[in-house]
Amino acid sequence: MRNRILALAALATAIGSPLAAQAQSGVTVGRAPASADSAVTIAAEQRPAFREYVVQQRVPPFSIPDRVVVGTTLPEAGVTYYDVPQRFGATTYRYTVVNGETVLVEPRSRRIVEVVD
């Protein structure tokens, strides 16, 4: 519960903070530019069905000693990543279950990009 509150507070701060002034070159200061690699995550209205899908698939959970948070890099060995079915949206991310929580992972970096709650 505390993790969710902290994540929501961090998100509210990031969204609510005013953007820095833009230089004439078109570069925004204080924010990373959108990359061509950015992928769509699962839409909010699709998440309950996606969670049900993961339960039905009986994906074996992987355990890590740390908390499961966005930005955590998962180990190279021992984790199996699964494709997100097309019906939940086109995404380049993969999913797995870590410490009982379903997460979306960027496959090349093994970085958690979203905890699906």
Side-chain angles (χ1 to χ4, degrees):
M1 181 67 163
R2 190 177 104 204
N3 293 344
R4 288 183 180 168
I5 292 171
L6 291 174
L8 287 173
L11 180 63
T13 301
I15 292 173
S17 64
L19 294 175
Q22 290 187 0
Q24 284 187 349
S25 66
V27 175
T28 302
V29 179
R31 290 196 148 199
S35 73
D37 259 1
S38 64
V40 177
T41 60
I42 298 169
E45 61 273 4
Q46 289 279 21
R47 289 181 186 177
F50 180 67
R51 284 191 303 273
E52 184 177 322
Y53 169 81
V54 172
V55 169
Q56 289 174 349
Q57 295 304 304
R58 296 184 179 166
V59 173
F62 181 78
S63 296
I64 59 173
D66 300 323
R67 294 182 313 148
V68 177
V69 294
V70 171
T72 300
T73 300
L74 297 176
E76 282 188 55
V79 183
T80 303
Y81 303 103
Y82 304 90
D83 291 332
V84 175
Q86 195 70 19
R87 70 178 182 242
F88 297 112
T91 182
T92 60
Y93 298 133
R94 304 293 180 263
Y95 78 91
T96 193
V97 178
V98 180
N99 294 355
E101 297 190 60
T102 302
V103 296
L104 293 180
V105 179
E106 200 289 314
R108 284 176 277 152
S109 66
R110 303 177 326 279
R111 186 178 65 86
I112 295 173
V113 295
E114 185 172 349
V115 178
V116 182
D117 50 4

